[in-house]
Amino acid sequence: MKQRLFATALACALVLPPAPGALAQATSGVTAQDADIRAFIQDVARATGTTFIIDPAVQGSVNITRDVTMDEAELLGVLLAVLRANGLVAVSAGPGAYRVVPDTAAAQLPGSGMGGSAFTTQVLPLSSVDARIAAETLKPLVGRGGVVVPTPQGNALLIADYADNIRRIRGLVAQIDSDTAGIDTVTLRNSSAREVATTVNQLFGGGEARGGQLSIQPVEGSNSIVVRGAPSAVQRVVQTILELDRRAERTGGVRVVRLQHASAEQLLPVLQQLVGQSPDGEDGAGTVAASAANPDATAAQVITAVPGKRPTIVRYPGSNSLIINADPETQRLLVDVITQLDTRREQVLVEAIVVEISDNAARRLGAQLLIAGKEGSNIPFLATQYPGASPGIMPLAGGWYAEQRRREGDDEDDDDGALELARRAAIQSLLGINGALAGIAGSNDNATFGLIIDAVNSDTASNLLSTPSILTLDNEEARILVGQEVPTTTGEVLGDSNSNPFRTIQRQDVGIQLEVTPQINAGGGITLTLRQEVSSIAGPVSEDFAELVLNKREVETRVLVDDGEIVALGGLLDQNDRNTVSKVPLLGDIPIVGQLFRHRSRSRDKTNLMVFIRPTIVRSTADAQAMSANRYGYMRGQMPVMGERENALDELVREYLRTAPPAMPSPAPAATVPAPVAPAEAPAGNGETR
């Protein structure tokens, strides 16, 4: 097996036949004109006794003219220079053997070459410069087959290139990787570190604007500014900061702060309490004056002012501004507090879903009898009528009797009113019929008789769905009402002999109401203090009492919900079954015949009520735009389009509001994630050591 492997390696090493004239070597020098590089390599191998394994991709030509005599070492150096000029490299393949391959594949091969043309791989650790920035800087300096990438872990560079080029790169990295920046700290006495740092950054272009050469950072805890950069630049920046702080000391003690998001009316008591000032009164314009002689206010003082100069804070409601009259240090502390509180507040969209499903089923079956003897007969009066039976047989019998009297012409003037009432009662009873009604009636000389059978089977299902929603600021109470104001009687006085009657009425809101106060927590949850009510008019109490009965479903609670999650606040599952049997004693118990003396009814009322809530935090303008576009699109889809005309809602927005309908915001471009082996795609750093 070993002999076969050796024979194969030897055949690969001697694959080229001799090329006459490729290399003419004499004592006077070496000459090769347009010679094939593979033949040139073979001639050098014969002259020096070195084995070269040539890759099949090796191609090129050689032009050499040298009159000076060369030894074997010099001839090998000329060969390496020729290979490098043709984009080739000789990589060690063992004692006295080299492998000739294109330099683009040299980084993937083990071993090294000869002299300065050896292709090696080294790791260069960095101490000050960011490895990603250094890799971008050095990439144009490596050869065609060289590679320079930052290591995934640690601030270092991985470089594969010719040995002499790597030595040059190491020297350049040693010059670049040195931190000569100076650092200085300036403590301010009369100005705000944040404001001065912003001004100086804009003036000198620090931070990212100059590639991180000059860094200016405020430290709010100590009201200081840290400056880092070239010593000359740091000195100029420090002098500017000190000059700004001195000028602030010489300015007046009155400062006007215009608020952008916060309310001056709500912020004023907080600031007054910090400096130990309590409101003394409020004038007609709404400006709160301060009392400096209140001893209780001093006990609540948090910010200590300069002795002898009491700070005063008032507000100007016309421009939502605060006016501060205080010494520079107190003024600076108050402005810092205002800056931290005067931020854009988040909003919360609260959506409620009220679902009510009811099912009412009723079944009724019964018979009613009437037998009445006429005048002079011995037949008694007998009738059956049961609660809940409609219509009753008695109103029908009274109406039938009144009609008979009218036809016979026997009705007298005194009985006209009573007979008319009997007719109306019969008509009202028939108008209120439900289900089926069957009956017979008749009379002879001795008696009048009648029989009616009523039957009904009803099943009513209803689905009530209410979805109120409201958008409000964080920690601000909001309320929405969609309904009516229904009058209810709260008092009534008739007076003596009805001489001066009057009635007091109170209006009551009936409909869908949602009251909520959201509070966004640091962990992303939302604490909701809410009250949800759904009410409706059920009708009058009775036919004789006109006061209204109101149906009301109300939930009042305080819950904690995550952003965008749906939670069930509460609900009610109510089922009411009722079976009623009305019958005539004894007669109703007779088999078969007893059905004529019996009335049955069965009813079932089932109600499922559930209330859900879903809060969503609206953090930015894009979130608010997306929410508005979503609601607008839903309402737009509900409206019909008349022919080829524009949707009525779109037409109203364009013509009346003179703007475009809300649309979903454009998605932000996706960030490009650089591949681990592609340093060109790595994000640029700020020049600091990480």
Side-chain angles (χ1 to χ4, degrees):
M1 185 67 181
K2 292 183 179 180
Q3 294 177 352
R4 264 184 274 167
L5 292 177
F6 178 75
T8 304
L10 183 60
C12 293
L14 303 176
V15 290
L16 294 178
L23 175 61
Q25 182 179 6
T27 57
S28 59
V30 176
T31 300
Q33 298 295 330
D34 294 327
D36 184 72
I37 193 170
R38 302 168 70 92
F40 180 75
I41 296 173
Q42 185 179 13
D43 290 344
V44 173
R46 291 173 178 174
T48 60
T50 305
T51 303
F52 290 97
I53 304 173
I54 304 175
D55 191 271
V58 173
Q59 294 180 357
S61 60
V62 180
N63 292 286
I64 301 175
T65 300
R66 183 171 179 176
D67 297 334
V68 181
T69 304
M70 294 184 296
D71 55 12
E72 294 182 1
E74 291 177 338
L75 187 58
L76 287 175
V78 171
L79 174 62
L80 294 178
V82 170
L83 294 177
R84 190 166 180 176
N86 286 270
L88 304 173
V89 63
V91 181
S92 176
Y98 295 92
R99 183 176 179 181
V100 181
V101 296
D103 58 4
T104 55
Q108 287 80 28
L109 297 177
S112 62
M114 297 178 288
S117 296
F119 206 93
T120 62
T121 302
Q122 294 186 16
V123 177
L124 304 182
L126 302 177
S127 59
S128 301
V129 182
D130 186 87
R132 293 174 298 176
I133 298 178
E136 292 293 330
T137 304
L138 298 175
K139 187 175 181 181
L141 302 180
V142 298
R144 187 180 63 174
V147 177
V148 53
V149 293
T151 57
Q153 296 180 352
N155 195 44
L157 293 175
L158 177 65
I159 303 178
D161 202 354
Y162 293 99
D164 54 357
N165 196 32
I166 288 183
R167 285 194 298 269
R168 182 172 65 95
I169 292 177
R170 291 180 66 94
L172 295 176
V173 170
Q175 298 178 21
I176 297 174
D177 189 28
S178 59
D179 188 5
T180 59
I183 299 177
D184 200 351
T185 303
V186 183
T187 301
L188 305 181
R189 297 182 179 275
N190 308 302
S191 306
S192 172
R194 179 184 298 181
E195 293 183 359
V196 174
T198 303
T199 303
V200 175
N201 262 315
Q202 295 175 355
L203 180 62
F204 289 92
E208 297 295 337
R210 298 182 60 184
Q213 296 180 9
L214 182 62
S215 177
I216 304 171
Q217 299 295 332
V219 182
E220 298 183 6
S222 60
N223 195 40
S224 304
I225 299 178
V226 180
V227 184
R228 180 183 181 275
S232 58
V234 170
Q235 184 178 3
R236 289 189 293 116
V237 172
V238 170
Q239 293 299 328
T240 303
I241 294 174
L242 294 175
E243 180 64 23
L244 292 175
D245 193 39
R246 283 193 296 267
R247 290 181 179 272
E249 184 179 8
R250 294 194 295 266
T251 57
V254 179
R255 181 169 182 178
V256 178
V257 181
R258 298 179 182 271
L259 303 180
Q260 298 181 1
H261 305 284
S263 171
E265 183 179 2
Q266 297 178 355
L267 193 56
L268 178 63
V270 178
L271 300 178
Q272 288 178 335
Q273 187 175 0
L274 291 177
V275 298
Q277 171 189 348
S278 63
D280 187 21
E282 185 169 344
D283 56 17
T287 302
V288 179
S291 174
N294 188 357
D296 297 333
T298 307
Q301 184 174 353
V302 177
I303 298 177
T304 304
V306 175
K309 189 171 183 180
R310 182 83 176 184
T312 305
I313 309 172
V314 296
R315 72 181 179 92
Y316 176 64
S319 61
N320 191 36
S321 302
L322 292 172
I323 304 174
I324 303 175
N325 182 15
D327 60 273
E329 179 65 18
T330 303
Q331 192 177 105
R332 180 190 62 78
L333 295 175
L334 291 175
V335 171
D336 285 346
V337 173
I338 294 174
T339 303
Q340 297 181 47
L341 296 179
D342 187 23
T343 57
R344 181 186 177 94
R345 296 170 62 184
E346 296 177 334
Q347 302 181 89
V348 179
L349 173 64
V350 181
E351 301 168 287
I353 302 178
V354 182
V355 184
E356 182 175 353
I357 304 173
S358 61
D359 186 7
N360 301 325
R363 181 179 300 173
R364 186 176 70 244
L365 176 63
Q368 301 177 63
L369 298 173
L370 172 68
I371 300 176
K374 293 186 177 180
E375 186 178 356
S377 65
N378 296 326
I379 299 176
F381 176 82
L382 175 63
T384 59
Q385 183 170 318
Y386 307 100
S390 178
I393 196 171
M394 297 303 294
L396 297 180
W400 179 82
Y401 176 74
E403 183 65 18
Q404 290 297 111
R405 291 289 302 272
R406 186 187 66 78
R407 292 181 179 180
E408 294 174 359
D410 296 338
D411 50 338
E412 300 178 358
D413 295 339
D414 295 342
D415 297 336
D416 286 347
L419 295 178
E420 183 63 25
L421 290 176
R423 295 191 188 98
R424 292 181 179 179
I427 294 174
Q428 292 293 334
S429 180
L430 289 174
L431 291 177
I433 185 175
N434 292 318
L437 177 67
I440 58 174
S443 65
N444 53 27
D445 296 339
N446 296 325
T448 300
F449 63 92
L451 169 65
I452 60 174
I453 299 175
D454 63 303
V456 64
N457 189 2
S458 63
D459 193 352
T460 303
S462 63
N463 183 7
L464 176 63
L465 184 65
S466 304
T467 56
S469 61
I470 191 169
L471 180 68
T472 180
L473 286 173
D474 182 25
N475 282 315
E476 290 289 342
E477 182 180 0
R479 180 174 182 267
I480 185 174
L481 168 64
V482 180
Q484 299 174 321
E485 286 190 346
V486 178
T488 56
T489 303
T490 58
E492 184 177 8
V493 177
L494 299 178
D496 297 336
S497 302
N498 203 19
S499 59
N500 187 22
F502 68 89
R503 176 182 298 175
T504 58
I505 296 177
Q506 181 181 1
R507 299 282 179 175
Q508 183 173 351
D509 295 332
V510 176
I512 300 174
Q513 301 183 55
L514 175 63
E515 299 178 4
V516 60
T517 303
Q519 178 183 344
I520 302 176
N521 303 326
I526 306 172
T527 302
L528 296 176
T529 302
L530 58 86
R531 176 179 173 270
Q532 170 70 53
E533 177 183 322
V534 178
S535 56
S536 60
I537 302 174
V541 176
S542 64
E543 296 181 358
D544 300 330
F545 193 48
E547 293 299 326
L548 299 177
V549 176
L550 303 179
N551 296 327
K552 191 173 183 180
R553 290 101 169 107
E554 181 179 358
V555 175
E556 186 171 357
T557 183
R558 180 180 174 91
V559 295
L560 176 62
V561 191
D562 290 335
D563 180 21
E565 298 296 329
I566 299 178
V567 64
L569 293 183
L572 172 67
L573 303 179
D574 184 22
Q575 182 172 343
N576 186 7
D577 295 332
R578 178 179 295 179
N579 296 327
T580 303
V581 177
S582 301
K583 60 183 179 180
V584 178
L586 299 179
L587 297 179
D589 298 330
I590 300 176
I592 302 176
V593 181
Q595 299 292 335
L596 299 176
F597 303 94
R598 189 182 308 160
H599 190 277
R600 296 177 180 271
S601 63
R602 179 183 298 174
S603 63
R604 185 187 72 243
D605 297 337
K606 187 176 181 180
T607 302
N608 294 335
L609 174 65
M610 197 66 63
V611 180
F612 302 92
I613 201 76
R614 179 178 183 261
T616 304
I617 300 177
V618 180
R619 293 183 170 88
S620 61
T621 305
D623 292 344
Q625 183 180 354
M627 183 269 295
S628 301
N630 187 18
R631 299 296 186 273
Y632 183 90
Y634 177 81
M635 296 303 298
R636 185 180 184 276
Q638 300 299 315
M639 301 183 67
V641 180
M642 305 300 295
E644 298 181 356
R645 288 186 55 192
E646 185 181 21
N647 186 279
L649 186 57
D650 292 344
E651 185 178 357
L652 179 65
V653 171
R654 297 185 188 275
E655 296 183 359
Y656 182 73
L657 299 180
R658 298 180 181 179
T659 184
M664 297 295 287
S666 301
T672 303
V673 180
V677 296
E681 299 181 1
N686 58 5
E688 297 177 358
T689 302
R690 296 177 181 269

